[in-house]
Amino acid sequence: MTAVEFQSVSKRYSAETPLAVANLNLLCREGELLALLGPSGCGKSSTLKMAAGLEDLTEGEILFGGRPVSALSAGRRNIAMVFEDYCLYPNLTIEDNIAFPLSVRGVDKNERRQRVGDVLAMLGLHDIAKRKVTDLSGGAQQRVAIGRAMVRDPDLILFDEPLSHLDGDQRIHLRAEISRLQKTRGITSILVTHDQNEATAMADRIAIMKGGVLQQVDTPARLYARPANTFVANFIGEPPMNLFPGEIGDDAGRITIPMLGEDIVIGDERRHAFAARRHSGLTLGLRPEHLIVEAAGDGAERQANAVVTYREPRGDADSLVLRILRDTSTMVAELAGPCTFRTGDKVRLRVPAANTNLFDSESGVNLEFDT
Amino acid sequence: MITLVLVSLVPFIYAVYLSFHQAKYGRVTDFIWFDNYVTLLTSGTFWNSMYVAGVFVLIAVPVEFMLGMAGALVLNKGVWGRSILVPLLFIPTMMAPIVVGLLWKIMLAGSWGVLSYNIIERFDLVSGTSIFASERYALLALVFIDIWQWTPFMMLAFFAGLQALPQGPYRAAAVDGASQMQIFARLTLPLMAPLLFVIGLLRFIDAFKIFDTIFILTKGGPGTTTESPSLLAYKMTFEFWNIGEASALAVFVWIIFFAVCTVFYHIAKKKLNAF
Amino acid sequence: MTAPLKSCKTAADGLQLLNVSKTFDQTEVLHDIDLTVAPGEVLALVGPSGAGKTTLCRIIAGLETPSSGQCYMNGTDMTAMPPGDRRVAMMFESYALYPHLSVGDNVRSPLLARAKGGLPPTAGQHIEQLLAVLEIAHLSDRLPSELSGGQKQRTALARALIQNPNALLLDEPISHLDAKLRHKLRGEIRQILNARPHPTIWSTPDGLEGLSVGDRIAVLIAGRIEQIGTPEDIWLRPASVKVARLFGDPPMNILPGELQDGQGRIDFHCRSMTMTLPPALAASAKAIKGRAAFLGLRPNGLTLHRGDDQSAIATTVYSIESFGKYAIVTLITPPGDLIKLKTADVQDLKLGDDVGVRYASDQLLLFDGTTGRAAYVYS
């Protein structure tokens, strides 16, 4: 098991283009599966290729277990890679594909047979070991590629969009399979993906990148609950986090939400985050499932402040698109399904202070975020 | 379809028919069973022509293969000026064999040959006569010319094959830690095998039938040292007017081709899952 | 689906299929399909690939002739009508864009074909709005060959949505888009359709997409309609194991087993494991003649318990997938069945931990083991 560390790594492809990766400092811990996630062009693939040795570094250093590797070629780094398009050897059988990394390294025949046998058993490919790989479905080909990666116990496995060529069922199945195998073998792994479901399902921690710059590295649960900035807040979670303006009142901890004409009070332990700011703007963030939706009724406390414009049932959860009566902006709520609200229903929305994230409205940075 | 059969089959059947008959000086007479074949197979000139063909098949073709593959690998790595180099490489292959013959005659023939005068004679390798008149070197010179003519073709064919290979497995092999030699032996060669087989077969047939450059440069001489089967058949027909025996030779060569093609085809089918 | 309904000619508005079957080379791809889609209604046609969704759409569009049965549009039999006279707009899963026309011209083409003497002045603005909603406005001048799969799909979608047809058929309209865009667009397209007077069929292999876009859902499996109903019906009361497996992420857990009568109760045996059925189910269990049954457990109806618990199913943690909002835990039972569980909180759960699973009794579903049909009675 090996930790992988990126130290001030930058990548520039040509003088005219901006940095593809800018001053990246990132640690992938021993035995961990770290996902690099971001929209296309965010620098995640460049980062992976630099770790693999398929791309040179412009600046900085990469350490495998404390040992610098930037001068080593891909073949000498003791890494394995699982590619988007499988990249199996089309002229070889399943068994020979898995044995390839061992045989080119001159591992002796008995040991080779045993290790290949182990991997075949682990993947449930024993019965078809002699088949040509070109006859297999995409999912099965990718399983062979995973076997080929695991067979020689590498320091690091790099997964480059491993599921993006597969469809629905195979994808969900292999997703669970990869994370299980990675956990049982404890091999340090880096996964590149543009699909947040894939990243959250498989990774111990996720590094979110945008325009070559690292935005946040955290566990899926923490990313979801405390995004470092509004970009992460919007990128992670489906439907995305509701972001709306708030104003800090003079009374300590009181924040006014002009859209709803209501105040929320932030608890004592969180007040330090905006203690220095008085009468200035904030962006509030609230996950759709935390928004409280109640049927409108009589009395000031239950007066309608929004109307349901669209209801999307999804089985165990329903999402509601709500138009705020005061300023016609929209919010999205998610309720346990099937819920009783219908399009056109007037409702009373309430924002629970405890689940609300506070962002600087200028920079988008989460005021309570500290690395 | 019928036209095709008529066009391709009729001459062949007629050759088979002739090979079983006494057919000399333009007259077809008695049916003589295998006499033409017996005469052919017991004659020294026939076995000599097989030897000449063998030299082309076993020396020229393999050398062309190796040089072609090496050149293709270099091209594939991306050398400077590849876009200019590739059209230039077509030149020898595009030239008519007659022109090739004349060209090399000018280059190598005796004291008026550009190359032969300046290099060969100066170092006294072949004295006095043209290299094509030397019993020792005439055949080698022809082999050399064949290599010159066909290596660029092989290079381009293999280069096209290399360009068409999937890139994925190479990325995987680089990460798996395979050396350049291992990548070549375990990946490139197996992936190229169908192409190599086809080109090999075509070149085998072509080299076996070699005629025109020899005809221009040596006419089979000196003596019979460069007399290929095609040249022998030509001589039998137009110099000795023995069409029967020439037909027997043609049929015999055809049988060799047929046998080799069949074997190739079966190996290819089994080993490569190709075709 | 009673006999009298099948035989009566109808004057109902909207789109109606009666007893439609289709056979290709002696293989029956559609069997006796009865379907009605009211004006303004969106019917989600959900089924796995190869179920016959595309063939059904092609029959309605007039691109295939049914082997038997009729299609009616607003009460008129259009079974024999050529496609051009039906005014049915269809969006093909294969896009079928004109390769020589730009995105804008492709979208404009159905309007030009119908308009005599030029387009109405508002048409250009309509097209622009639609392209903007589908996030392809900036691609208006590109040719199809310069587009990604998802962009082509949205162009084809725009070309179908711009029309004012008698019926609209969307054959897997957003299947090639990435998850985030798919999620966003299905709501927006659905809202465009809300304002439309014509019946719409929206086919998809994704059960959740069907639940979210359909006013009603028709589940098509292997050429047969397995169930038609509202999203709530399909979700709460799936008619068969096959339907149950199509809806839900992750799909419902289905355990095969046998029923045995105990003292005043009914036990469900799944290999070496025994569970006692809740009283509500025990009554419906009597309807199962053979004793073979499937038990359906919803992933979100299960809870984890540590320590000794007689009423819980003993399992071991096989894999954990955390999604931030919730996590999917895959558990393996002693006989080797996998059970997936959806929970908000996995805390310190690790692979290989022994845990018990409890189930909310109103979340259990019982199916006949031989036919796969539902055998439970919930109000």
Side-chain angles (χ1 to χ4, degrees), chain B residues 51-202:
Chain B
Y51 168 76
V52 171
V55 168
F56 277 98
V57 168
L58 297 177
I59 297 178
V61 175
V63 170
E64 287 160 15
F65 247 88
M66 285 187 273
L67 290 178
M69 183 55 94
L73 290 172
V74 172
L75 277 183
N76 199 39
K77 276 262 176 270
V79 283
W80 184 84
R82 185 165 80 183
S83 52
I84 304 169
L85 206 58
V86 169
L88 285 180
L89 283 171
F90 270 112
I91 290 177
T93 313
M94 284 193 303
M95 268 187 214
I98 303 285
V99 180
V100 173
L102 287 173
L103 194 79
W104 282 99
K105 197 153 200 161
I106 294 166
M107 304 267 278
L108 288 178
S111 43
W112 50 276
V114 179
L115 271 184
S116 56
Y117 178 76
N118 284 323
I119 296 167
I120 300 171
E121 298 227 328
R122 200 154 282 184
F123 297 101
D124 214 19
L125 288 172
V126 185
S127 53
T129 59
S130 155
I131 194 168
F132 298 116
S134 147
E135 290 204 13
R136 273 175 74 186
Y137 295 118
L139 187 56
L140 288 181
L142 289 170
V143 165
F144 172 77
I145 291 166
D146 195 70
I147 292 171
W148 175 84
Q149 192 182 357
W150 286 105
T151 300
F153 166 76
M154 301 282 230
M155 205 186 281
L156 291 170
F158 294 158
F159 172 56
L162 286 173
Q163 293 273 294
L165 291 183
Q167 288 308 299
Y170 287 88
R171 271 183 287 152
V175 175
D176 281 343
S179 67
Q180 288 301 314
M181 267 317 288
Q182 284 171 324
I183 290 176
F184 178 72
R186 287 157 177 256
L187 205 55
T188 307
L189 272 188
L191 290 177
M192 293 268 285
L195 180 71
L196 298 182
F197 257 79
V198 171
I199 302 258
L201 196 60
L202 288 176

Side-chain angles (χ1 to χ4, degrees), chain B residues 178-245:
Chain B
S179 67
Q180 288 301 314
M181 267 317 288
Q182 284 171 324
I183 290 176
F184 178 72
R186 287 157 177 256
L187 205 55
T188 307
L189 272 188
L191 290 177
M192 293 268 285
L195 180 71
L196 298 182
F197 257 79
V198 171
I199 302 258
L201 196 60
L202 288 176
R203 279 299 298 139
F204 161 76
I205 292 172
D206 227 45
F208 209 95
K209 300 193 302 191
I210 186 163
F211 177 78
D212 19 34
T213 38
I214 301 183
F215 185 75
I216 299 289
L217 289 168
T218 66
K219 290 224 162 48
T224 57
T225 42
T226 60
E227 199 170 81
S228 71
S230 297
L231 208 69
L232 179 61
Y234 171 82
K235 281 187 177 170
M236 283 177 177
T237 315
F238 295 107
E239 287 178 19
F240 310 119
W241 294 101
N242 190 344
I243 295 177
E245 204 177 321

